[in-house]
Amino acid sequence: MRTELEQALQQAQQGAVARAAEVVERIKELPRDEEGVFDLKGMEKDYKDVLETRRVLYPVYAAYETECNRKEGYPDILAQMRVLDARLQEDYDMLAAAAYMDMALRTLMYLSQEIYECYRELMDLYKKNVHRFIREFYGEGEILPGTAPSSAAEVLFIGSLMLACREHVLLAEKYAIYYAFMQEEEINGEKQEQGR
């Protein structure tokens, strides 16, 4: 199903959300756990795959609800995000936190700001986790700000942070220190290309 979700997300990014309607209808029919969250354990072979599928599933669901379903699914999306956040807070793992933040940010990008309460709540969940991630992993000296990432979780976190700054969800001036090495690499890459 993840391949179909990735194709649906590409369609959403190209503005053809209506083509993803069939995929979204199947999303809505997915089994749910006792707290109402889509239960992907039966579809994916391990926890890492569940995290990856969620990173695509929720943005597709949000894009469809925004463009084709008059935002009626927003309460369901936010209810699931709250539950996923509560679970994350109980057992704060670097990879799970990075995947949650990436999923929340990409979902936020497809929510309409017209439904401000939903948009703001998801933004607040995202920002809360950014602050905790920095406090937990950068604050304890596990990771030094501005150094190249050494794990998949760090790569995911830094990519999400850069996207959040580019989309003006976070202030670039405040968070650029965490991805400063990327800017240097991009600048150096541009200089090399200009020299050709």
Side-chain angles (χ1 to χ4, degrees), residues 88-89 92-101 126-143 151-158 161 178:
L88 175 63
Q89 300 308 315
Y92 208 77
D93 170 69
M94 184 185 275
L95 181 60
Y100 176 84
M101 286 183 286
Y126 173 76
K127 287 181 176 183
K128 174 183 81 169
N129 279 287
V130 167
H131 295 143
R132 180 162 183 197
F133 191 96
I134 290 170
R135 187 176 65 248
E136 296 265 334
F137 303 113
Y138 286 89
E140 298 194 4
E142 288 184 38
I143 307 169
S151 70
E154 289 176 67
V155 170
L156 194 54
F157 171 69
I158 289 170
L161 206 59
Y178 298 100

Side-chain angles (χ1 to χ4, degrees), residues 164-165 168-176 179:
C165 291
H168 306 289
V169 172
L170 296 174
L171 292 173
E173 296 83 17
K174 184 175 179 180
Y175 295 96
Y179 56 86

Side-chain angles (χ1 to χ4, degrees), residues 3 10 19-20 39 43 51 61 66 77 86 143 146 166 183 185 188:
T3 304
Q10 285 180 336
R19 284 194 239 153
D39 188 0
M43 297 171 44
L51 294 176
Y61 186 18
T66 300
I77 293 169
I143 307 169
R166 209 171 28 246
Q183 292 172 329
E185 288 176 7
N188 290 337

Side-chain angles (χ1 to χ4, degrees), residues 58-141:
Y58 288 97
V60 169
Y61 186 18
Y64 175 79
E65 290 299 324
T66 300
E67 297 296 324
C68 302
N69 201 29
R70 299 186 315 268
K71 305 162 189 74
E72 290 179 11
Y74 279 19
D76 180 45
I77 293 169
L78 265 294
Q80 291 189 55
M81 290 291 168
R82 277 186 228 109
V83 171
L84 291 170
D85 177 67
R87 290 177 186 173
L88 175 63
Q89 300 308 315
E90 289 175 12
D91 184 26
Y92 208 77
D93 170 69
M94 184 185 275
L95 181 60
Y100 176 84
M101 286 183 286
D102 188 70
M103 170 190 66
L105 177 64
R106 292 177 188 282
T107 302
L108 180 68
M109 291 170 56
Y110 289 102
L111 290 183
S112 171
Q113 291 184 30
E114 294 171 358
I115 313 298
Y116 183 74
E117 301 81 24
C118 294
Y119 184 86
R120 184 63 199 209
E121 182 178 358
L122 188 53
M123 181 187 292
D124 289 345
L125 288 172
Y126 173 76
K127 287 181 176 183
K128 174 183 81 169
N129 279 287
V130 167
H131 295 143
R132 180 162 183 197
F133 191 96
I134 290 170
R135 187 176 65 248
E136 296 265 334
F137 303 113
Y138 286 89
E140 298 194 4

